[in-house]
Amino acid sequence: MRRLMLAVLLLMAAPTWAQQVVVTNDITSNTTWTADNEYILNGLIFVNEGAQLTIQAGTIIKGRAQENITGADAGLASALIVRKGGLINADGTASNPIIFTSEFDDVADPADLRDGAGNEVRGLWGGIVLLGRASTNQPGATQIEGIDANDEVAEYGEDDPANVDDEDSSGLLRYVSIRHAGFSVSGVEGDELNGLTMGAVGNRTTIEYVEVFANFDDCFEWFGGTVNTKYLVGALCGDDTFDYDEGFRGNGQFWFSIHDTDTAGRAGEHDGGNDAGDGATPLSRPVISNVTYIGSGAGATVPGGDNNDRTFAIRDAAGGLYFNSVFTDFPGVGVNIEDLDSGVDSRQRLEEGDLDFVNNVWFGFGGDILPQGFVADAILGDQIIANPLLSGISRAPDAGLDPRPNSGSPVEGTGTFDSSELNDLFFDRVDFIGAFGNDNWIDGWTGLAQGGYVGDLQSNPIVVSNEESLPSDVSVFEVFPNPFAQSATVRFGVESAQDVEVVVFDMLGRRVAQLAAGTMAAGEQEVTFEGRNLPSGVYFVRVRTQAGSAVQKVSLVK
């Protein structure tokens, strides 16, 4: 066992002096990391069996890049791994989150380029790994993906069935943001670590309000286990957002995924069996409700990545139940389900009821939302094909991301928990579909918020109006011709000189054009809506005055 060595350096950080603590070796006894220090992971740092690592709210932990790691782990990667029987107690708050990030990330500077997305800011260190004793469908204890057993033993699961414990605990993660991780420990492509990897983690572990931001590989991956999770954020990662396999059977609620346009995988890559694909039990069958998955854009031209076009790839006899969720703005199909000529496959799980989608909203896909054939036949009747009217889904640091629904959205008041699968006390009974009601719970503590992505856009909901509901100071409001092929005229009248804004939104609630903004004289006004550079579709023109706003729907047909 390596000796514990802490190299303490003084580093000036505005506005006070802070200590930087370089952590070189394993956590072998109960240890507390405090918010007045900044901790630097120098390699693979393990929390060993019988030890607990407590991390205070507001603490910042940074992983060294491979080229800067010294000592026994030189040439590997920086990561925090909680072994079976070890515990982590990382209990942040909304105002003081715990941040795991790269040594290159200036957390105090919201404009830091490394708070952006893109491959240049992914994979700068390893990530966090939790290992437990819950059940999987592997034949025994298994080395976790991404860490070579020649470097360190990092096993999950148990060889002796008598030691398997679905109620095992790996501790607690709450208000934790994991940023810029996903480095390949071995240096081999495909061995990258996930932002948060969970191997056989049991259901006495608490994981809620955890974000993975700009990871090179998957945001979250479960290898078997029974852990339940709430309020997860997977943002701008280079591969899948939520990936489960090897018999994962936990519950999940309030998950949020948003893809960048440069590279990504699927929002959900879901596998069921073991590596042999022979239907080994237990097969994956989590129960998931109230998620919002946003793709890279319905019309996006995806330049790379692992099938960055679809919402779900479901295979290897995976099951899973999705309720009360929103899936939108993907360039490809909604669901791809494995259909083998023989053996156990995910189509069989669908037909047996172990794979299902109930009461979900789907909208804005470049391909078939639910492909024709057995997928649509089995799923379509329980779905809502409608615009969720989310307030904003920008993927740029322009304060244009607000995934809450606007007034009039079909997600409001339509959530249902009638299914027996949702009777577990874990699930909060809410009356909306998707991960968000009025509370924008990703604001403040996440890398998305601190990097300038998140804004408050719900205060000006897009509501389709008619002539009778015009603001009191607007005498007329019309758009003609409608439909139009190239340009349309927006005519409105105001009764007094005042500030007026005329803005155009698309069907996803994204602002696509500002036609006018500023002081206008009393009387009739006309502005032009130029559509030559926009795709065909339905748009909403909003005129807002000091007395209120009105919206007209217009169709662009080329």
Side-chain angles (χ1 to χ4, degrees):
M1 182 177 295
R2 298 174 293 177
R3 294 178 301 169
L4 177 65
M5 178 174 61
L6 299 180
V8 181
L9 304 174
L10 288 179
L11 176 70
M12 191 171 79
T16 60
W17 286 85
Q19 283 189 327
Q20 188 180 80
V21 180
V22 180
V23 184
T24 303
N25 282 72
D26 296 346
I27 307 300
T28 58
S29 60
N30 292 348
T31 301
T32 298
W33 290 353
T34 57
D36 55 347
N37 294 324
E38 182 177 273
Y39 295 85
I40 307 297
L41 304 180
N42 182 63
L44 301 176
I45 306 301
F46 287 81
V47 180
N48 284 345
E49 183 173 6
Q52 175 172 293
L53 172 62
T54 299
I55 305 176
Q56 289 184 351
T59 304
I60 295 174
I61 302 98
K62 295 184 175 182
R64 277 185 169 167
Q66 184 183 54
E67 63 269 21
N68 294 331
I69 296 172
T70 61
D73 284 347
L76 298 178
S78 295
L80 182 67
I81 304 104
V82 181
R83 282 188 164 117
K84 293 185 294 184
L87 292 171
I88 185 170
N89 180 19
D91 196 3
T93 67
S95 57
N96 284 293
I98 295 167
I99 298 173
F100 286 83
T101 190
S102 162
E103 65 174 326
F104 301 127
D105 183 13
D106 183 0
V107 176
D109 180 8
D112 182 5
L113 290 178
R114 294 197 181 274
D115 285 331
N119 282 330
E120 72 276 7
V121 295
R122 297 186 181 111
L124 302 182
W125 65 290
I128 298 178
V129 180
L130 303 182
L131 305 172
R133 294 190 168 98
S135 53
T136 75
N137 56 30
Q138 294 297 295
T142 306
Q143 182 77 6
I144 197 67
E145 177 184 270
I147 300 178
D148 194 313
N150 293 324
D151 298 323
E152 286 284 356
V153 174
E155 292 182 342
Y156 62 98
E158 290 290 336
D159 291 322
D160 185 349
N163 294 330
V164 172
D165 182 8
D166 280 345
E167 297 186 353
D168 189 31
S169 175
S170 297
L172 178 149
L173 297 176
R174 181 185 290 124
Y175 285 109
V176 173
S177 178
I178 306 165
R179 307 174 185 177
H180 311 299
F183 186 80
S184 172
V185 177
S186 68
V188 176
E189 184 177 354
D191 280 351
E192 297 85 6
L193 286 174
N194 308 296
L196 178 60
T197 301
M198 292 158 280
V201 175
N203 61 25
R204 288 180 59 235
T205 307
T206 298
I207 298 177
E208 57 187 24
Y209 296 101
V210 175
E211 175 197 41
V212 176
F213 177 85
N215 200 76
F216 188 80
D217 198 36
D218 299 342
C219 294
F220 300 88
E221 184 161 6
W222 293 261
F223 293 89
T226 55
V227 62
N228 303 319
T229 57
K230 275 183 179 175
Y231 299 105
L232 301 186
V233 182
L236 313 179
C237 293
D239 200 359
D240 309 312
T241 307
F242 300 105
D243 187 344
Y244 63 71
D245 43 39
E246 295 184 4
F248 172 58
R249 287 158 296 116
N251 296 325
Q253 191 175 25
F254 308 123
W255 292 359
F256 175 59
S257 167
I258 184 165
H259 283 182
D260 201 356
T261 57
D262 69 325
T263 184
R266 302 94 170 183
E269 181 179 289
H270 301 333
D271 300 307
N274 61 11
D275 293 338
D278 58 5
T281 58
L283 289 168
S284 298
R285 190 182 181 273
V287 179
I288 302 163
S289 186
N290 296 98
V291 309
T292 296
Y293 293 168
I294 300 171
S296 57
T301 300
V302 181
D306 185 11
N307 289 311
N308 179 17
D309 59 355
R310 65 198 66 176
T311 313
F312 294 101
I314 304 175
R315 62 194 185 191
D316 193 14
L321 307 177
Y322 272 89
F323 297 87
N324 303 316
S325 297
V326 172
F327 313 117
T328 189
D329 212 29
F330 287 84
V333 302
V335 183
N336 181 275
I337 296 176
E338 169 197 66
D339 183 15
L340 303 178
D341 292 334
S342 62
V344 181
D345 60 18
S346 291
R347 175 174 181 170
Q348 178 179 329
R349 304 294 306 283
L350 177 72
E351 294 171 346
E352 293 174 349
D354 288 322
L355 172 63
D356 203 0
F357 294 82
V358 179
N359 197 44
N360 304 297
V361 172
W362 306 73
F363 185 77
F365 284 76
D368 291 334
I369 294 176
L370 297 172
Q372 298 300 309
F374 74 91
V375 176
D377 292 343
I379 297 175
L380 189 58
D382 292 323
Q383 309 309 303
I384 302 168
I385 311 300
N387 187 347
L389 292 177
L390 304 184
S391 298
I393 58 173
S394 172
R395 301 158 189 83
D398 58 2
L401 176 61
D402 186 346
R404 295 175 297 174
N406 273 315
S407 177
S409 168
V411 312
E412 295 180 320
T414 51
T416 177
F417 287 80
D418 293 338
S419 172
S420 61
E421 302 291 347
L422 298 176
N423 285 338
D424 193 294
L425 293 177
F426 166 83
F427 291 101
D428 294 338
R429 269 62 178 169
V430 295
D431 65 355
F432 55 84
I433 291 174
F436 300 88
N438 291 322
D439 178 21
N440 193 1
W441 52 267
I442 65 173
D443 198 12
W445 63 278
T446 60
L448 279 171
Q450 294 172 7
Y453 293 80
V454 179
D456 183 3
L457 305 179
Q458 197 185 38
S459 57
N460 297 310
I462 302 170
V463 182
V464 178
S465 303
N466 55 43
E467 197 76 5
E468 297 177 353
S469 59
L470 291 177
S472 59
D473 56 356
V474 175
S475 58
V476 63
F477 177 27
E478 57 184 348
V479 183
F480 61 91
N482 188 10
F484 72 101
Q486 294 186 354
S487 64
T489 298
V490 180
R491 178 185 295 162
F492 57 95
V494 291
E495 295 182 355
S496 61
Q498 60 181 294
D499 288 337
V500 178
E501 181 188 55
V502 184
V503 176
V504 180
F505 297 88
D506 66 10
M507 286 286 287
L508 292 174
R510 297 174 296 194
R511 181 183 296 218
V512 298
Q514 180 172 281
L515 307 185
T519 302
M520 292 188 175
E524 282 198 5
Q525 308 287 339
E526 288 188 358
V527 295
T528 300
F529 174 19
E530 180 59 67
R532 287 181 175 85
N533 296 322
L534 293 172
S536 298
V538 174
Y539 294 88
F540 300 95
V541 181
R542 183 179 71 191
V543 173
R544 185 166 63 187
T545 69
Q546 294 171 1
S549 64
V551 176
Q552 290 285 349
K553 181 168 67 174
V554 60
S555 296
L556 171 59
V557 179
K558 295 184 176 181

